Amino acid sequence: DARVTQTPRHKVTEMGQEVTMRCQPILGHNTVFWYRQTMMQGLELLAYFRNRAPLDDSGMPKDRFSAEMPDATLATLKIQPSEPRDSAVYFCASGFSGEETQYFGPGTRLLVL
Amino acid sequence: AQSVTQLDSHVSVSEGTPVLLRCNYSSSYSPSLFWYVQHPNKGLQLLLKYTSAATLVKGINGFEAEFKKSETSFHLTKPSAHMSDAAEYFCVALKKAAGNKLTFGGGTRVLVKP
């Protein structure tokens, strides 16, 4: 049963610290999406990759957030420095570029104190 | 601009009774539409999707949704609610021209009473 995996599942850190979240897309998928879920804003798209290339990161605060795909099996989302307002659940999703369904990981619950 | 509106933020039903979750979308043309479910502290799971084939779409766990272009609606239904259906449900639209980006509704939280 292929699934998107995300690590860590939970992260508590202090303001100013660097946070790195990792995502392993389903093997063979060539699109990866990063979303953030908060009570106030709901689900927001942060970044979108196809074939490891970033296609859209307009939803991401550029000054502190960065997203990369070092290889086809790993996507990372970094926050440096982290702020309390970054507290949220961060989801990764993957899919095929020619197919519309996105498959979501379990999320990383981030709390910045 | 494309938007997705879920008309109820909370729905409460008794076990064994029908469930109706309402969703309207706005778009200049029919997008692909999805319903996802999120159980507490879990990721989003696909329930069903509409991609311009049959207007009545059957999904997992007894859910189905009907696409009505004239009403720009994609309401989700289930004839008989089960306790395990208690979760948050998201209506989602995809616009291929926008690079397969998803637009999420605000979510409907379903409470199932015994």
Side-chain angles (χ1 to χ4, degrees):
Chain A
D1 184 21
R3 297 185 184 195
V4 176
T5 57
Q6 291 186 247
T7 57
R9 292 293 311 279
H10 303 272
K11 176 73 175 179
V12 180
T13 190
E14 292 185 344
M15 183 173 64
Q17 297 297 305
E18 177 178 302
V19 175
T20 298
M21 291 169 272
R22 294 176 175 80
C23 166
Q24 182 172 13
I26 292 173
L27 188 66
H29 282 185
N30 66 339
T31 58
V32 172
F33 302 79
W34 283 104
Y35 295 91
R36 175 170 63 184
Q37 184 179 38
T38 61
M39 290 292 292
M40 294 299 295
Q41 301 295 328
L43 277 151
E44 307 170 277
L45 177 68
L46 296 176
Y48 163 37
F49 290 78
R50 183 192 298 159
N51 297 325
R52 295 176 57 201
L55 290 194
D56 188 345
D57 60 3
S58 58
M60 207 164 63
K62 299 294 189 302
D63 55 339
R64 298 183 299 108
F65 284 61
S66 62
E68 296 179 343
M69 281 200 74
D71 61 59
T73 64
L74 177 64
T76 63
L77 180 66
K78 289 186 181 180
I79 309 174
Q80 168 65 17
S82 59
E83 297 180 1
R85 59 181 168 149
D86 301 329
S87 298
V89 182
Y90 292 82
F91 287 104
C92 173
S94 72
F96 292 110
S97 58
E99 208 270 342
E100 298 163 334
T101 303
Q102 294 181 20
Y103 298 85
F104 284 76
T108 294
R109 189 173 296 272
L110 173 66
L111 177 60
V112 182
L113 301 173
Chain B
Q2 180 172 281
S3 68
V4 178
T5 304
Q6 291 183 241
L7 297 164
D8 306 293
S9 59
H10 292 80
V11 166
S12 181
V13 298
S14 297
E15 191 175 20
T17 64
V19 181
L20 169 65
L21 305 183
R22 298 180 293 166
C23 172
N24 286 98
Y25 70 94
S26 66
S27 180
S28 58
Y29 55 90
S30 299
S32 297
L33 295 161
F34 306 78
W35 277 97
Y36 281 87
V37 61
Q38 184 179 26
H39 287 93
N41 300 313
K42 301 285 187 185
L44 280 76
Q45 180 185 15
L46 180 69
L47 276 179
L48 50 81
K49 66 179 180 181
Y50 166 77
T51 54
S52 74
T55 56
L56 184 63
V57 182
K58 293 189 183 299
I60 62 171
N61 300 337
F63 284 94
E64 63 181 36
E66 187 171 9
F67 173 76
K68 291 186 177 179
K69 187 173 182 177
S70 61
E71 299 176 9
T72 59
S73 70
F74 189 56
H75 301 335
L76 180 71
T77 60
K78 183 172 180 176
S80 176
H82 191 271
M83 294 300 291
S84 61
D85 295 326
E88 188 157 19
Y89 293 79
F90 293 93
C91 182
V92 185
L94 179 147
K95 195 167 180 179
K96 285 186 178 179
N100 276 17
K101 287 176 14 175
L102 297 180
T103 301
F104 287 83
T108 299
R109 191 170 295 276
V110 173
L111 172 66
V112 182
K113 297 177 289 186

